Amino acid sequence: QLTPGGEVNNLGVYAFEERTLGDWTVQLGLRHDWHETVGDAGDTRGPLNFSGRDQNDYAATTGSLGAVYSVTDHLSVVSNLARGFRAPSLFELYANGVHAGVAAVQQGNANLDEEVSLNTDLGVRWREDGFSGKVTVYRNRIDDYIFLQDSGNTAGNGLPIFNYRQADATLTGVDLEVRGHVIENLELAATYSAVDGENDATGQDLPLQPADAVTGEATWYLPGDGAVQTPYLRLGVRHNAAKDAAPGEPFQQFNGAPFGTASTDAYTVANFAAGFGLGTAEGRRVQLDLKVHNLTDKRYRDFLDTYKGYALSPGRDVRLEVRVPWSG
């Protein structure tokens, strides 16, 4: 009853070109989209704020320009300028009902406009003798950014009402990654990511933005033996910083509850993996991997987990994966 029925049709035409000119590699893209979203009351079980069919049409021309400059054989500088487009979904336009998974009433907004963004980024990449690293900073200015916000009102059943709204917004962030073999059989890797989203009209944080995160990983490659190829052991950790819910953020009603929260504390989880490839007589390679997420069964709540209001994030998760190629 919450999710509306209807049709979504999209048509896009695009062109892409890449050229290498000495130490420069330049990429250019151009695209035009036509997007049609039709809500159909006849295909929706729950009540809607319209009858029959309600149609929304969107169109946008977007493009991108990117360049890579090779400073040396090992060092390059990367920059991109891109205009993006996203039409609102059926759910964002027409949702109307109780979302039992988040204990709230969610209401769409049939008057939503399309999002149009202008993203700029600058990065540096380095690779040499088994080591690599890259860092990227970016700024994404989004007109009519669509977000879900607590209206401050409650329905007759006592549940809070969440509405889809729009505002101009700016996202700025940084991504960093380093990886390398400290000795022949031991590879270390680390990443860092952070993003700040701001509502341009109010200067307040945007809702549902990820917390800053740091990861570290060590992989030990063992010697193979006959049919056993590239066996490995891997241990990794992920640390997420604490994060406070933004004003009007969905799930804020759980901040005072004894069983859940909207703001979340910092946490660190460990992950483990082991695996190897198995060569066959036909020349194929079967890959077997054992993966354990949250090795220590840590109790935590992730900021973007929509169940954080009344449940913990997943505990220890053990998976055995087997990949078999169809041909050699």
Side-chain angles (χ1 to χ4, degrees):
Q1 294 183 356
L2 170 67
T3 305
E7 299 174 4
V8 177
N9 298 292
N10 188 74
L11 175 65
V13 293
Y14 61 92
F16 178 80
E17 181 68 19
E18 179 178 287
R19 291 292 179 91
T20 299
L21 306 168
D23 294 330
W24 289 87
T25 300
V26 181
Q27 298 175 336
L28 177 66
L30 187 66
R31 179 181 176 114
H32 188 81
D33 279 274
W34 296 269
H35 190 96
E36 177 188 77
T37 304
V38 182
D40 191 336
D43 286 338
T44 305
R45 182 171 298 179
L48 291 174
N49 53 10
F50 67 90
S51 59
R53 291 164 63 88
D54 186 70
Q55 180 172 323
N56 284 270
D57 296 303
Y58 310 93
T61 300
T62 56
S64 63
L65 175 64
V68 180
Y69 176 65
S70 298
V71 181
T72 69
D73 291 340
H74 308 290
L75 181 67
S76 59
V77 178
V78 185
S79 185
N80 295 279
L81 175 66
R83 175 180 166 89
F85 155 80
R86 188 182 78 86
S89 67
L90 266 173
F91 192 88
E92 291 167 336
L93 290 167
Y94 304 117
N96 186 32
V98 176
H99 192 313
V102 297
V105 173
Q106 291 195 2
Q107 295 180 344
N109 181 353
N111 296 315
L112 292 175
D113 294 321
E114 67 271 24
E115 295 180 342
V116 179
S117 66
L118 183 65
N119 183 73
T120 55
D121 63 64
L122 178 65
V124 177
R125 300 174 183 171
W126 167 70
R127 181 182 295 274
E128 184 176 6
D129 297 333
F131 287 85
S132 64
K134 59 182 179 181
V135 58
T136 304
V137 293
Y138 59 89
R139 181 181 187 273
N140 196 4
R141 173 67 164 74
I142 306 175
D143 293 334
D144 296 316
Y145 177 78
I146 300 171
F147 59 96
L148 187 66
Q149 190 170 48
D150 192 335
S151 68
N153 300 318
T154 57
N157 54 14
L159 295 177
I161 299 174
F162 298 166
N163 299 131
Y164 280 101
R165 302 182 181 181
Q166 288 190 298
D168 295 342
T170 302
L171 279 72
T172 55
V174 59
D175 291 309
L176 184 147
E177 178 182 342
V178 292
R179 180 180 298 272
H181 286 268
V182 291
I183 57 176
E184 182 179 0
N185 295 328
L186 180 61
E187 182 183 44
L188 301 181
T191 67
Y192 171 74
S193 61
V195 61
D196 177 63
E198 183 176 294
N199 185 320
D200 292 346
T202 64
Q204 297 175 334
D205 289 343
L206 292 173
L208 300 177
Q209 298 297 304
D212 297 353
V214 179
T215 69
E217 187 178 88
T219 305
W220 182 28
Y221 295 98
L222 306 172
D225 182 15
V228 177
Q229 304 170 4
T230 324
Y232 72 92
L233 299 173
R234 178 175 297 135
L235 182 64
V237 294
R238 177 183 180 88
H239 176 79
N240 276 35
K243 189 170 179 65
D244 292 330
E249 181 145 0
F251 321 117
Q252 254 199 65
Q253 71 272 24
F254 295 115
N255 257 347
F259 48 81
T261 183
S263 303
T264 54
D265 296 328
Y267 69 87
T268 302
V269 295
N271 305 308
F272 172 80
F276 60 88
L278 189 62
T280 67
E282 296 83 8
R284 302 181 183 182
R285 176 187 166 110
V286 178
Q287 182 68 32
L288 293 92
D289 297 285
L290 174 67
K291 299 180 179 180
V292 185
H293 176 74
N294 194 359
L295 182 64
T296 62
D297 203 23
K298 172 75 174 180
R299 293 169 58 90
Y300 72 98
R301 288 178 171 85
D302 186 83
F303 188 77
L304 294 184
D305 189 343
T306 56
Y307 297 108
K308 63 183 178 180
Y310 52 85
L312 295 169
S313 292
R316 185 183 297 111
D317 180 273
V318 182
R319 304 184 185 191
L320 179 63
E321 299 180 358
V322 180
R323 284 173 285 169
V324 182
W326 289 106
S327 60

